[in-house]
Amino acid sequence: MFSNVINFTKTLYAIFQLEAGPQKLPSSLPLLVGSLIFYVLCRLWVATFDYSVVAAGFLGVFDAVLLVLMASVPLLLLKRGDRILRTVTALACAGIAVSLVDLFLLFLLSDLPLPVSEERMDGLLSFLTFPVLLWRLLMNTTLLRYALSWGFMSAFALAAGHLAVVGFLGGKLASSLAG
């Protein structure tokens, strides 16, 4: 059991370094469900910096559903359904890692005593956490390239589309929930 955890951690590390694809992960439904639940919780926690808990919870679930659809639909259309578990698990684990880094930066930056207004502080936080968003985009693009056997631009368009829909449509829906 312990060696499986170490092997899983080593595989995730290789994936985070963009040296391996989702095919290296074990195909496990409990692992997928656990990673998706933790993904939703991490995305919820990050979203609480901008939204109420209810709206952040909606945004976390919305993001996770789109993540599953982003990977599953093309794989089903390409008749590669056997790759869905591993691909979604890898995307969720990558999202968890990026969310944890994002949380660290948000906590660190929100406690700095900067003499700026609330609006300028939000803009500063967005600017300083933008590299984390780019890292998430690169991770998702690489994982989709491996899973779908597509070129960089096609995988990039799919990953960027996911982030755009979550950012704009999900943000608007979450804002309407907040009141």
Side-chain angles (χ1 to χ4, degrees), residues 38-115:
F38 198 52
Y39 178 79
V40 168
L41 291 174
C42 286
R43 297 303 304 152
L44 178 145
W45 200 3
V46 169
T48 56
F49 278 86
D50 295 324
Y51 302 101
S52 69
V53 174
V54 172
F58 169 80
L59 194 57
V61 171
F62 183 76
D63 189 355
V65 168
L66 282 179
L67 186 79
V68 170
L69 290 174
M70 172 188 65
S72 300
V73 170
L75 284 169
L76 287 173
L77 291 175
L78 294 171
K79 298 187 183 354
R80 293 183 176 152
D82 57 317
R83 297 181 182 188
I84 292 174
L85 285 176
R86 291 178 175 149
T87 303
V88 175
T89 302
L91 287 167
C93 289
I96 290 166
V98 171
S99 294
L100 291 175
V101 170
D102 203 12
L103 278 170
F104 174 76
L105 287 175
L106 287 170
F107 277 125
L108 183 70
L109 295 172
S110 65
D111 286 340
L112 289 178
L114 297 175

Side-chain angles (χ1 to χ4, degrees), residues 1 4 6-7 32 49 57 66 71 73 79 86 143 157 166 171:
M1 172 72 178
N4 290 342
I6 292 196
N7 289 340
L32 171 66
F49 278 86
L66 282 179
V73 170
K79 298 187 183 354
R86 291 178 175 149
L143 290 170
V166 169

Side-chain angles (χ1 to χ4, degrees), residues 120-134:
R120 293 197 65 186
M121 186 63 172
D122 289 341
L124 181 64
L125 285 175
S126 296
F127 175 74
L128 293 175
T129 58
F130 183 69
V132 177
L133 179 75
L134 291 179

Side-chain angles (χ1 to χ4, degrees), residues 1-16 20-36 38 85-94 96-97:
M1 172 72 178
F2 189 68
S3 65
N4 290 342
V5 172
I6 292 196
N7 289 340
F8 179 70
T9 306
K10 286 180 182 179
T11 304
L12 281 181
Y13 184 71
I15 288 173
F16 296 159
Q23 71 276 10
K24 299 289 185 184
L25 289 174
S27 183
S28 167
L29 187 59
L31 182 62
L32 171 66
V33 171
S35 62
L36 282 175
F38 198 52
L85 285 176
R86 291 178 175 149
T87 303
V88 175
T89 302
L91 287 167
C93 289
I96 290 166

